[in-house]
Amino acid sequence: MSETITGSDQREVIIIGIGEWSTGDTVMTSIGLGSCIGLVIHDETRKIGGLAHVMLPKSSGKPNERAGKYADTAVEVLIKELTQKGSKVSNLKAKLAGGASMFQNFSGNLNIGERNAEALKAILKEFSIPIVREDLGGTIGRTVTYYPKENGRLVIRQADGTTREI
């Protein structure tokens, strides 16, 4: 399960590990996204959303798999939890960050970051959820922090120290 800490500004922050997810209005962070992608689905009207740390493009369909670990199941679990909290799918928007190519000497099937991005884009399109911002690719890992109550602000800090907001 995800862990909750109190940040230096006394705000609660939920830490989302690999394959985990959370929904609600609390600040959420996912540390060390390499080829993994931080998937945010946000509902601006309700000021809530979800963050999943997606590791792989497709689940095997076996029971007991962590839903946040795979692109196909992460999108579904976030939508399910957000609609249970009163969101309408038509109000949902997505942001994606991560998907770096961590192994530059390999190409094709081993570029998991690119495959994760393609899978998420296809699944979000199926649900008619627009991707409003993205920060994908490259060769540097990222940490993301999502602020549901602040218009779905997503702060990205790269491993090289660069910080930006989408």
Side-chain angles (χ1 to χ4, degrees), residues 37-97:
I37 291 180
L39 162 66
V40 169
I41 297 182
H42 180 72
D43 179 350
E44 177 54 34
T45 58
R46 298 189 57 82
K47 303 239 183 280
I48 64 170
L51 171 62
H53 186 133
V54 177
M55 184 179 170
L56 294 167
K58 187 149 179 52
S59 65
S60 67
K62 292 179 185 164
N64 302 323
E65 287 183 325
R66 285 185 296 184
K69 185 175 181 180
Y70 306 96
D72 55 346
T73 53
V75 171
E76 288 177 11
V77 75
L78 290 181
I79 291 171
K80 179 182 173 195
E81 287 191 11
L82 290 170
T83 55
Q84 286 172 345
K85 293 178 185 201
S87 292
K88 294 181 179 138
V89 176
S90 60
N91 290 337
L92 300 178
K93 293 180 174 24
K95 291 183 180 182
L96 307 175

